[in-house]
Amino acid sequence: FPATALAQYQWTTADCVAMTDHLSRKKVLANGLRASGLKALLSAAMIEKIAMSGLGYQHLKLAFTRDGIAGISGLLQEKTAHKPRVTSDRKVIAAVQGHFSSLAT
């Protein structure tokens, strides 16, 4: 392979640092979601997907506090690059909404 063909796949030190920071933050967010009780309601893959989007338990709680069910739904379904930020699956959204609704009562 010519060196120019491989150069497009090389990571700079800044790229590595940014990816490490992102993965560290995702791990913290995912652990917070698991500890919150959502672990019993959502699959491990869905918790990872929520965390990978940059959302944590406090973000979901704040969305529910501000706008109730519409806040959670809007946050998880928010479009980024013509796809939902996390999911548009109604069962997942209902599970998260149910969790916060049960805490509010």
Side-chain angles (χ1 to χ4, degrees), residues 59-91:
H59 298 110
L60 298 173
K61 185 176 179 182
L62 181 62
F64 184 80
T65 302
R66 287 184 177 169
D67 294 324
I69 293 171
I72 295 289
S73 183
L75 187 62
L76 295 178
Q77 292 181 352
E78 178 184 6
K79 297 289 184 185
T80 57
H82 306 290
K83 296 192 298 189
R85 180 177 190 168
V86 177
T87 186
S88 56
D89 186 333
R90 292 178 187 185
K91 289 180 183 178

Side-chain angles (χ1 to χ4, degrees), residues 14-27:
D15 293 335
C16 292
V17 169
M19 181 56 80
T20 302
D21 289 345
H22 177 70
L23 292 175
S24 296
R25 179 158 170 70
K26 182 202 74 131
K27 186 175 182 179

